[in-house]
Structures are given as structure tokens and as C-alpha cells.
Amino acid sequence: MDKHYNKLLTYAYNIVGSYEDARDLVQDVLEKYIPLDKSSIRDESNFLIKSTPNHAINFKIRQNKKEVFGVGLPKPVSLENADTKIKDSSD
């Protein structure tokens, strides 16, 4: 896996533009790859090279949606039934 790591990191970084995000993405891809049944995979390197950019592109799309729509705000709290009297702490 170490021989592929730097190459995969380069692909991910070129897509997302952040070293920390690229490291996380490559780690995700490798974590998903390790438990897979590798009998149907003919070339490990090509599989990882295809998976990493796909994962990075999906990450980038999610990030762009967050920037456009923003993170959801909490629901407003109704103050209609709130007590207007503040109790004195000396009571």
C-alpha cells in the first residue's frame, strides 16, 4: 500500500487542493480497499487510481454544495411563552 500512497495523494490533492483533505480521502479509499474481495480485481494499482479521483470528486461536489447552500441553521426558539420576570438570585 505504501508504494501507491504517494501517487494516490497526488491525484487527490490535484482535485481537492488541500493536503489534509487529500490525506483523509486516500485513507478512506485504502480503508475501503483492504477488506474487499480482491479476486475480481485484476490490477490493484489501476483500481486504486480510479477509486481515488472518484472519491475526491464526490468530496469536492459535497463541499461545493455546502458552500452554496450553507450549513443548516437550527430551528428558531419561540419566546412567546417565556417568563418575562427574572427572579432575583438572593431569594
Side-chain angles (χ1 to χ4, degrees), residues 79-87:
L79 300 176
E80 291 176 8
N81 297 328
D83 290 332
T84 57
K85 243 185 179 180
I86 299 175
K87 292 186 178 183

Side-chain angles (χ1 to χ4, degrees), residues 36-78:
L36 284 179
D37 177 24
K38 294 168 187 67
S39 63
S40 63
I41 298 173
R42 287 185 284 177
D43 188 355
E44 177 181 78
S45 179
N46 286 341
F47 180 85
L48 291 170
I49 288 172
K50 184 176 180 180
S51 298
T52 301
N54 287 340
H55 192 55
I57 290 168
N58 290 338
F59 173 82
K60 186 82 170 177
I61 290 170
R62 286 191 307 269
Q63 291 302 103
N64 288 340
K65 285 183 182 178
K66 283 182 185 177
E67 291 173 6
V68 171
F69 298 111
V71 178
L73 297 175
K75 293 181 180 179
V77 176
S78 173

